[in-house]
Amino acid sequence: MPSNQKILTIQDISCFGQCSTTVALPIISALGIETAILPTAILSTHTAGFKGFTFRDLKEDIPSIVAHWEKENIRFNAIYTGYLGHQDDVKEVLELDSKLNEGPLIVDPAFGDNGALYGGFDANYVKAMAKLCSQADILLPNLTEACALLNIPYSEYPSDEQIDEILLGLTKLGAKAIVLKGLGKDHKQTGITVYSNGIRQDYRHDRLSKSSHGTGDVFASVFVASLIRGLPLLESAKTAADFTYQAIKATQNDPTHWYGVKYEPLLTKLGNKIDGLLK
Ligand code: PXL
């Protein structure tokens, strides 16, 4: 069924390296949703493993882009934000959301992984992102980001009680629904926990031994597209988790492809799967 929904994704453009906008735009579009982009910065590559990348901040362009869209009466059915790059972007994003968004604000904090912040980010960036996360209708943090947002110690394999505390903390922060990522009981397992309307639902699966770059963005993009197409929250998160697993699996034996995951050949099958789930 054709969709009239349009979404806006706000994140950097890493020209090479399969993350942020170069993942979100193709995935969400291929899954049938019109996707507008607002790049907050342009980098030659992502920052995780490449050296000497370029970085141009585009935040000064945002107010005039928003003013033009407002004048043209352009509105969105959802906004999905990822890696922004500068703490001042948060203010612009919140203003844009209040003016142009008629649907949910979906926030992937996208500032860290494996217990550490990405290069270039500090406590002030986390503080600014916490403000954006407090306004999220759906928040998509991994465990590292959740712990940093709440200023609590990171533990790789949190207990059920610790997961409950994190969900409570993020709810108190202001997030209306949460998809917490990267949860397993040991190194062989990973998964997600979805929390909405006071109900917690866990989904765990095998963890592949290789951890890959850009997978948070692949997850978020599939999640957003599935949700806007009409799948329920848990089903959208499961679809995204399964797809991310398959993309890592399709890449893990190729040492030349260390910088991202080969998701493109899997998109047709994913589209068919979502069509089937919606029937
Ligand atoms: O995948 C998140 C991401 C997005 N954008 C840039 C990054 C990263 C992760 O490292 O460096 C520029």
Side-chain angles (χ1 to χ4, degrees), residues 234-249:
L234 179 64
E235 204 65 47
S236 298
K238 277 183 173 177
T239 302
D242 292 345
F243 183 78
T244 306
Y245 177 90
Q246 292 303 332
I248 298 171
K249 203 168 166 199

Side-chain angles (χ1 to χ4, degrees), residues 65-82:
I65 292 173
V66 174
H68 183 212
W69 286 348
E70 208 180 355
K71 214 164 134 203
E72 291 288 343
N73 211 20
I74 293 164
R75 298 292 183 272
F76 301 101
N77 301 103
I79 289 180
Y80 149 43
T81 71

Side-chain angles (χ1 to χ4, degrees), residues 11-12 14 19-20 43 45-48 83 110 118 213-217:
Q11 41 192 325
D12 77 280
S14 290
C19 74
S20 49
L43 295 83
T45 64
H46 63 61
T47 66
Y83 184 111
Y118 294 146
H213 300 304
T215 48
D217 304 334

Side-chain angles (χ1 to χ4, degrees), residues 7-83:
I7 80 141
L8 170 65
T9 186
I10 309 175
Q11 41 192 325
D12 77 280
I13 294 180
S14 290
C15 297
F16 182 84
Q18 286 175 310
C19 74
S20 49
T21 301
T22 65
V23 163
L25 179 58
I27 290 183
I28 302 169
S29 302
L31 297 177
I33 309 287
E34 180 181 343
T35 309
I37 63 167
L38 182 58
T40 54
I42 182 161
L43 295 83
S44 50
T45 64
H46 63 61
T47 66
F50 295 101
K51 291 197 176 61
F53 50 83
T54 69
F55 185 105
R56 182 182 295 274
D57 194 347
L58 298 176
K59 74 172 169 311
E60 282 173 16
D61 290 15
I62 297 177
S64 49
I65 292 173
V66 174
H68 183 212
W69 286 348
E70 208 180 355
K71 214 164 134 203
E72 291 288 343
N73 211 20
I74 293 164
R75 298 292 183 272
F76 301 101
N77 301 103
I79 289 180
Y80 149 43
T81 71
Y83 184 111

Side-chain angles (χ1 to χ4, degrees), residues 41 43 46-50 53-55 57 83-89 109-113 116-129:
L43 295 83
H46 63 61
T47 66
F50 295 101
F53 50 83
T54 69
F55 185 105
D57 194 347
Y83 184 111
L84 299 179
H86 197 288
Q87 66 203 55
D88 293 351
D89 296 334
F111 60 65
D113 207 357
L117 304 184
Y118 294 146
F121 292 157
D122 58 13
N124 287 331
Y125 187 85
V126 175
K127 212 168 147 193
M129 280 306 302

